[in-house]
Amino acid sequence: MTGHDSIPDVVTDPSGERLMRADSIGHGVPVLAFDVGGTDIKSALFDGEGVARGLRRTPTPVADADPEGALIDRLAKLAAQLQDQHPDVAPEAVGLVVPGIVDSENGIGVFSSNLGWRNAPMRELMRQRFGLPVAFDHDVRAASWAERVLGGARDYADAVVLIIGTGIAGALLVGGQPYTAGGYAGEIGHSPIGEWPCPCGARGCLEARASAGAISRRYVEATGTAVDGAREVIARAAGGDETAARIWDEALDALTMSIAQLTAVMAPQAVVIGGGLSRAGGALFDQLRARLADRLSFHRIPVLVPAELSGNAGILGSALRAREAAS
Amino acid sequence: MTGHDSIPDVVTDPSGERLMRADSIGHGVPVLAFDVGGTDIKSALFDGEGVARGLRRTPTPVADADPEGALIDRLAKLAAQLQDQHPDVAPEAVGLVVPGIVDSENGIGVFSSNLGWRNAPMRELMRQRFGLPVAFDHDVRAASWAERVLGGARDYADAVVLIIGTGIAGALLVGGQPYTAGGYAGEIGHSPIGEWPCPCGARGCLEARASAGAISRRYVEATGTAVDGAREVIARAAGGDETAARIWDEALDALTMSIAQLTAVMAPQAVVIGGGLSRAGGALFDQLRARLADRLSFHRIPVLVPAELSGNAGILGSALRAREAAS
């Protein structure tokens, strides 16, 4: 049993210290970086060579009363642990990235259903606790920034990064920089393309049809058969299961529709696709390329490329942002 | 009958010299400005006070063999006429704006189905003919720039301008500047939101359902009754005509869907709506506001405002761009 002061269920990331094709964020000041999600927190120190030290995944604390206070307490404990284990790394800034609506310019967590806050002045609260400059940003925008600096978007100044997992999150790069619109831009998962209900309260959201979560949920609802995620639905579709084939086809059509709209309106050079579903590989990318070409005409169809930093894009982006805050 | 050297059917714009709430583009160097459409050309000299002199509308020449040459010949004749009539205005630069795909950075008319060219080096051809610095831009992007500087978008750095007439054209303002993506951005009229065919070759384009042209065409197809444009269909809908009501309802739903997507993805502060359909006033704006609120949830819904420069936004934008080219 874990005591009140310890952090329960510390799990070292099974990927260990390896950061998926990006062994380092490059030379610079040492920083402390956090990537906080609804269920777990990634944390690490990044040394002067840009190498992650002590990268770990631990649970996000549950707190109804004071969600920002409980989170900052937990981050301070993680920082102390990391510092104990890596006393040679003296961070000069802290990066924190979170889901929801984030006003990174003003350092405000506008809204997060996962973390339970509204208009939380996170950057200032963190600065007070850590006594260091703090970068506070949206997790997927930070991830897209890492893909821009180190990963799949490095060759494309105008790009859309789409992370397809339990939900669908997006971020826009315009002229090589994240485009935020006060934190409201990039909600591609909650852009409407049909009329079905979405738990967010809107109708026809892409996420409710094309996320890995939606694909497996829709299959279970249609058949009563449990599956091991969207990958199993895709495998069943390839094996001749008609229900699986229909659900996968509808997910591909929905993604095609959304990317076609992005193409017409923003004309990005590339769409960088990450998250669990992106590991479906050719089944996803080849299908999307063919369907996009089929439904558009004079438009400039973007290159579709896989994200390269995978699950670590968020914490890499957090570390990159922390370095910018330090300078 | 008109001779070969004269410009046929010169028609002074019925709006005369009045430029719709923008009597002047402000103080600056005198310029010559053209706004070329598929059927007619607007031309004017703008004097040092920014007042349009000799504003007129004349037909676009039809030429299969050398469309860019025929157009430039015509523009040179218009310039000579304007100069004869206003010898006190000595233009220091020329603005030319056209429809289609325009690479304004490199001065290339990439593609225009209306004007019949591909990869035409228009800026250089114009410079050779006129011996002056030339600004070459897309008509709707130039119009959006005029709305930004002088009109409905003046308070909004992040805005979408939507011109709903025979077709639907759009332009994006990002951080106060037009966002072009090599000329491919802003094709909101040809962004897919359904499955119906579009003459452009794509499927489900907004324009094929919600343009003023589509609304009247669909009504005529459904009823065999000729109408005086979309305004008559809207009036019939208000008067209890069920077919008209259905077609207008579907057009509003289509516009709502597209604006909802823009809201989720780009989160503009405002959508500035111009063109013939925008003069439907409350019937359009109130309906769109109510339907947007109904179909979205946590999103930041943009302000919907009417364009202010109406049919003259294009030539005002052309003149503004010409002044930038002169400096």
Side-chain angles (χ1 to χ4, degrees), chain B residues 174-236:
Chain B
V174 168
Q177 292 294 323
Y179 174 70
T180 65
Y184 288 91
E187 290 287 351
I188 296 156
H190 292 283
S191 71
I193 53 164
E195 295 300 330
W196 49 84
C198 179
C200 83
R203 291 202 309 282
C205 293
L206 173 66
E207 172 172 308
R209 183 145 280 197
S211 64
I215 291 168
S216 56
R217 179 181 47 70
R218 294 185 78 216
Y219 185 81
V220 173
E221 284 172 6
T223 64
T225 307
V227 283
D228 184 21
R231 296 189 77 173
E232 187 177 334
V233 179
I234 297 168
R236 283 174 181 246

Side-chain angles (χ1 to χ4, degrees), chain B residues 262-313:
Chain B
L262 287 167
T263 301
V265 172
M266 301 210 60
Q269 297 163 300
V271 178
V272 180
I273 304 178
L277 201 69
S278 69
R279 292 190 278 279
L284 177 69
F285 285 86
D286 294 346
Q287 280 289 335
L288 289 180
R289 286 186 193 108
R291 289 173 194 230
L292 269 179
D294 178 57
R295 85 162 302 148
L296 292 174
S297 61
F298 63 90
H299 312 74
R300 184 179 73 175
I301 294 179
V303 176
L304 304 185
V305 293
E308 294 184 5
L309 308 175
S310 191
N312 288 317

Side-chain angles (χ1 to χ4, degrees), chain A residues 101 111 158-159 172-175 179-182 184-188 190-196 200-205 253 256-257 260-268 291 294-300, chain B residues 101 111 158-159 172-175 179-182 184-188 190-196 200-205 253 256-257 260-268 291 294-300:
Chain A
I101 305 287
F111 173 67
D158 296 328
L172 312 180
L173 291 160
V174 168
Y179 174 70
T180 66
Y184 288 92
E187 290 287 351
I188 297 157
H190 293 284
S191 71
I193 53 165
E195 295 301 329
W196 49 83
C200 84
R203 291 202 308 282
C205 294
D253 270 353
T256 302
M257 181 76 115
Q261 284 158 7
L262 288 167
T263 301
V265 173
M266 302 208 59
R291 288 172 193 230
D294 179 56
R295 84 162 301 146
L296 291 174
S297 61
F298 63 89
H299 310 74
R300 185 180 71 174
Chain B
I101 304 287
F111 173 68
D158 296 328
L172 312 180
L173 291 160
V174 168
Y179 174 70
T180 65
Y184 288 91
E187 290 287 351
I188 296 156
H190 292 283
S191 71
I193 53 164
E195 295 300 330
W196 49 84
C200 83
R203 291 202 309 282
C205 293
D253 270 352
T256 303
M257 181 76 114
Q261 283 157 7
L262 287 167
T263 301
V265 172
M266 301 210 60
R291 289 173 194 230
D294 178 57
R295 85 162 302 148
L296 292 174
S297 61
F298 63 90
H299 312 74
R300 184 179 73 175

